[in-house]
Amino acid sequence: VSLGERPRVLIAGGGFAGLYAALELERRLREEEAELELVAPENFMTYLPLLPEVASGRAEPRHVVVPLRRALARTRVTLGELRGLDPRRRVALIAPAGDGREHEQGYDQVVIALGSVSKLAPIPGLVEHAVGFQTLTEAIHLRNQVLACLEVAQSTRDPQARRRALTFVFVGGGYAGVEALAELEDLARDACRAYPDLSRADMRWVLVEAAERILPSLDERLGAGAAHVLRARGVELRLGCQLRSVAERRLELSDGGHLETDTLVWMTGIQPHPLAARLGLECDQQGRLRVDRCLRVPGPGAAWSAGDCAAVPDGRGGCQPPSAQHAEREGRQLAVNLARVLRGSEPQPFRYRSRGEFVTLGDGKAIAQVLGRRLDGRAAWTLRRGYYLTRMPSPDRRARLALDWLAGLPFARDTAQLGSAQHPDRPLQAAKAAS
Ligand SMILES: Cc1cc2nc3c(=O)[nH]c(=O)nc-3n(C[C@H](O)[C@H](O)[C@H](O)COP(=O)(O)OP(=O)(O)OC[C@H]3O[C@@H](n4cnc5c(N)ncnc54)[C@H](O)[C@@H]3O)c2cc1C
């Protein structure tokens, strides 16, 4: 393993923590001070808080991602995956996207920012029949799925198939679940006006939540406000209830009920990326990498970590929550500290307290808690959009997203169902069959 003359900093992960760490390192360190490399499986960073609007068609998928090669001026971007680490030798095992053949790569400092994955449960049939809501692919799929179900309901003559197509079940009432359901219900409510034989009253939208209330991580009054808005829109909240099994399209629930559906969305929370616990570094019981308040992983590996895969102390005996606003700031502070260490200075502790939270509930509707004040309706919705526009880390993306949102004011929502884009082989196969 050969190291260049400059210290080599390897960043694994191109999400909030990884991208902001790289941007800040570029700002803090001169080119001759360090060689920067970022490894990620995609060549873009996904702005995950905007996924619900991708699902509802209010934001174009390409406008909520930031191309890493454009955003980063002098960080070498390698498309691939971190597969392992040998902290004592300071060697990372990398599998590049092209041939996937693993190779060893030396580093002087390594940043682990792998984020999280959907938390699963041992429910029979779950993985085979449900879809999650953690990635751009899932958001695009769900939009197409909801529109495809409306098409099925309009065209089928089988009443059972129609009922199944018009039943949408979401499991998990955290903010991502609530936002996804609310945005997709809004899309379906809008879209069904274009179908002669469909109305909102024909549809059934169900949210299954194990706790006695939705949005358990937020202020109780915010959760109650969101529940009120959803119920007023006809969403069925099954609280204190769990999914027990999934067989084909039939769901068994813990309250003895069952549902038949073509659309099951599983979003009961997240777990740290499983690789974090296999890197030979110290982890907590949840599988998050232990870091000190300066975001250093203890031990010999010169490792740092931030974001959803790290247990970042909050200075009050607990850990910082897994959120975009924390991951972004942790990534920046990590870079500041890493630069200080390379220059022989002491790192500084990470300090941040959230100033607010937003939950979108569809077009023109949201709830928020900002600087201790509760807001709802259009005011909260406008503030949320303004906030995300200012936080987008690229002027190009800011402009494109603003144009999407402006176009949404006078024009009706686009309800084209592009699900066939997932099957590019079909036209040639059809041509072959026809000839
Ligand atoms: C639907 C949804 C809505 C959300 N809404 C909000 C919100 O409103 N407000 C808020 O604050 N937070 C929100 N969050 C949470 C927030 O997005 C996350 O907390 C944040 O993205 C965490 O940042 P991260 O850098 O740790 O992980 P991520 O941003 O997920 O980045 C992880 C990166 O690691 C990469 N990676 C994975 N495996 C490997 C590997 N083996 N090698 C190299 N790279 C790898 C991934 O491709 C990705 O680039 C939401 C999340 C979701 C899913």
Side-chain angles (χ1 to χ4, degrees):
V1 177
S2 70
L3 286 181
E5 278 170 20
R6 294 175 294 166
R8 185 184 281 180
V9 180
L10 178 66
I11 302 167
F16 276 85
L19 174 63
Y20 279 97
L23 286 170
E24 195 64 34
L25 282 170
E26 286 189 353
R27 227 163 63 83
R28 300 263 160 181
L29 293 171
R30 290 188 305 277
E31 192 159 4
E32 61 275 18
E33 283 183 288
E35 196 182 324
L36 307 176
E37 177 167 359
L38 185 148
V39 183
E42 313 268 19
N43 72 354
F44 55 81
M45 174 261 209
T46 307
Y47 208 92
L48 294 173
L50 293 175
L51 279 194
E53 291 192 51
V54 171
S56 68
R58 281 307 187 197
E60 273 298 313
R62 277 177 301 114
H63 299 170
V64 304
V65 303
V66 180
L68 295 174
R69 293 184 195 280
R70 280 275 176 82
L72 295 168
R74 62 182 179 85
T75 303
R76 186 187 173 87
V77 175
T78 300
L79 209 63
E81 284 180 12
L82 175 74
R83 290 271 173 87
L85 210 63
D86 185 342
R88 288 191 186 278
R89 289 168 56 223
R90 296 200 186 179
V91 162
L93 196 61
I94 306 287
D99 56 16
R101 257 190 260 155
E102 294 174 356
H103 64 262
E104 288 194 341
Q105 186 167 320
Y107 62 79
D108 291 289
Q109 304 282 334
V110 67
V111 176
I112 309 293
L114 301 173
S116 52
V117 298
S118 294
K119 196 196 283 177
L120 289 173
I123 296 174
L126 177 68
V127 177
E128 293 77 9
H129 299 288
V131 60
F133 197 71
Q134 269 277 110
T135 63
L136 198 60
T137 315
E138 289 163 326
I140 296 170
H141 166 82
L142 274 175
R143 177 173 184 277
N144 286 322
Q145 167 71 10
V146 168
L147 294 171
C149 284
L150 299 188
E151 295 295 347
V152 169
Q154 170 67 40
S155 57
T156 184
R157 293 183 178 185
D158 174 350
Q160 200 187 355
R162 178 182 155 94
R163 241 189 340 269
R164 247 187 357 240
L166 292 177
T167 302
F168 303 93
V169 183
F170 289 66
V171 184
Y175 62 80
V178 168
E179 287 192 328
L181 179 145
E183 285 282 345
L184 284 161
E185 191 270 342
D186 217 39
L187 163 71
R189 175 185 289 267
D190 246 14
C192 76
R193 295 197 187 109
Y195 295 80
D197 302 331
L198 290 184
S199 77
R200 172 60 183 89
D202 298 323
M203 291 186 242
R204 192 168 174 199
W205 287 79
V206 186
L207 180 58
V208 178
E209 164 59 47
E212 288 302 332
R213 71 179 185 97
I214 59 167
L215 300 172
S217 64
L218 300 188
D219 179 282
E220 202 167 338
R221 282 170 300 179
L222 276 188
H228 177 74
V229 171
L230 292 179
R231 282 197 177 109
R233 274 159 57 181
V235 176
E236 215 177 301
L237 302 185
R238 293 181 91 137
L239 303 176
C241 177
Q242 293 179 31
L243 179 65
R244 279 279 150 80
S245 70
V246 190
E248 283 298 315
R249 292 159 180 178
R250 187 184 159 93
L251 318 182
E252 300 291 340
L253 303 176
S254 62
D255 61 7
H258 74 268
L259 296 162
E260 295 221 343
T261 180
D262 287 343
T263 311
L264 171 62
V265 187
W266 175 261
M267 25 202 342
T268 57
I270 54 163
Q271 57 181 8
H273 194 296
L275 181 63
R278 300 199 305 266
L279 294 176
L281 300 168
E282 208 181 310
C283 283
D284 71 357
Q285 278 192 334
Q286 295 174 39
R288 294 176 299 185
L289 289 169
R290 274 193 207 282
V291 294
D292 63 16
R293 290 197 66 199
C294 301
L295 303 150
R296 273 179 310 201
V297 182
W304 304 74
S305 186
D308 288 3
C309 71
V312 181
D314 63 6
R316 285 165 279 142
C319 285
Q320 300 286 6
S323 86
Q325 49 175 312
H326 287 84
E328 172 191 331
R329 285 156 180 100
E330 286 162 16
R332 281 188 197 282
Q333 183 67 43
L334 182 159
V336 168
N337 286 343
L338 204 159
R340 286 177 73 90
V341 165
L342 287 183
R343 287 175 175 168
S345 315
E346 279 301 305
Q348 297 164 337
F350 172 72
R351 288 194 183 92
Y352 177 68
R353 270 206 202 187
S354 165
R355 290 180 194 92
E357 275 166 314
F358 301 96
V359 179
T360 172
L361 295 173
D363 227 14
K365 299 166 273 291
I367 51 167
Q369 180 143 26
V370 183
L371 300 172
R373 286 192 57 198
R374 277 183 299 127
L375 295 170
D376 56 22
R378 198 161 273 277
W381 179 78
T382 311
L383 199 65
R384 174 183 175 276
R385 284 193 162 184
Y387 172 78
Y388 284 130
L389 268 189
T390 59
R391 301 311 301 180
M392 251 302 166
S394 142
D396 164 289
R397 262 29 193 192
R398 264 200 294 277
R400 288 170 197 262
L401 188 61
L403 288 175
D404 282 351
W405 285 344
L406 280 176
L409 297 176
F411 298 118
R413 205 193 295 257
D414 183 356
T415 53
Q417 194 255 109
L418 300 179
S420 57
Q422 287 159 11
H423 306 285
D425 51 330
R426 283 192 184 160
L428 280 188
Q429 282 171 3
K432 186 178 166 201
S435 59

